[in-house]
Amino acid sequence: MSPPVARQIIASMTLISSTEEGRGRLRQLADNTRYFRDELRKRGYIIYGDSHSPVIPMILFTLANICAFAKECLNRGLATVIVAFPATTMLGARARFCISASHTREHLDRVLKILEELDPMINLKMSANRPTSAFLDFWRHFFTRPAVPTRAVDEDS
C-alpha cells in the first residue's frame, strides 16, 4: 500500500471514529443496512452475506435472470452491480446492493418497489416462500417451444 493511500485511510478512520458526524454516519449506515436487509427477507428474496455488511447480495440464480434484471433495472433508472459465473457458481448469479449512509428511506423504498415490479416478470423470489414448481414453471416455456430452423433443410437430407 502506498503512503498516500495509507494516509487517506488513517484520515478517514480518524474522522469516522472521532467526530459526531462520523459516528452519525456509521449509525445511519447500520440503520439503512438493517432496514434494507430486513425488508428483502420479509418480502421473500434470498440474500447472503454478513448481516452487518452494507453490501447485500441477492440471489438471481441464472444468467438469463441476471441479464433481464440488469436491463429492467436500467430501464427504471436503477444502477445495479451484478455478478455471475465464473465469479459465482452456475446457479449463484446475484445482484449486489451497496448501501450508503447517504441513502434515504425513500431511496431504499424505491429500490424495493422496483424489485416488486420486476418479480412477476423475472421470478426473483425463488425461495422457500414459493412453491418449488415456480422455478420450473418460469423456465418451462423456454424448453417446450418448438424449435425454429435457422436455415432451409432439404427434404431428402
Side-chain angles (χ1 to χ4, degrees), residues 122-152:
I122 306 173
N123 201 22
L124 299 174
K125 297 178 186 177
M126 289 189 265
S127 71
N129 298 335
R130 274 200 180 168
T132 43
S133 65
F135 178 79
L136 297 175
D137 292 342
F138 179 72
W139 291 103
R140 186 170 286 124
H141 72 277
F142 290 108
F143 299 111
T144 57
R145 291 185 303 197
V148 178
T150 56
R151 63 182 173 82

Side-chain angles (χ1 to χ4, degrees), residues 38-98:
D38 288 348
E39 285 298 314
L40 287 173
R41 262 204 198 95
K42 276 191 239 176
R43 295 167 190 240
Y45 298 101
I46 299 174
I47 56 173
Y48 285 167
D50 184 272
S51 63
H52 301 292
S53 173
V55 177
I56 303 170
M58 182 180 82
I59 301 304
L60 299 175
F61 292 102
T62 67
L63 184 58
N65 276 10
I66 210 161
C67 293
F69 179 80
K71 179 182 176 191
E72 292 300 326
C73 284
L74 186 61
N75 289 342
R76 289 165 172 74
L78 176 63
T80 59
V81 176
I82 55 174
V83 184
F85 183 81
T88 68
T89 62
M90 286 297 283
L91 294 177
R94 64 198 66 186
R96 295 177 69 203
F97 298 103
C98 304

Side-chain angles (χ1 to χ4, degrees), residues 25 28-30 32-33 54 97-104 107-108:
R25 286 180 185 245
Q28 185 62 45
L29 178 59
N32 285 350
T33 299
F97 298 103
C98 304
I99 306 302
S100 165
S102 63
H103 286 131
T104 63
H107 292 140
L108 300 175

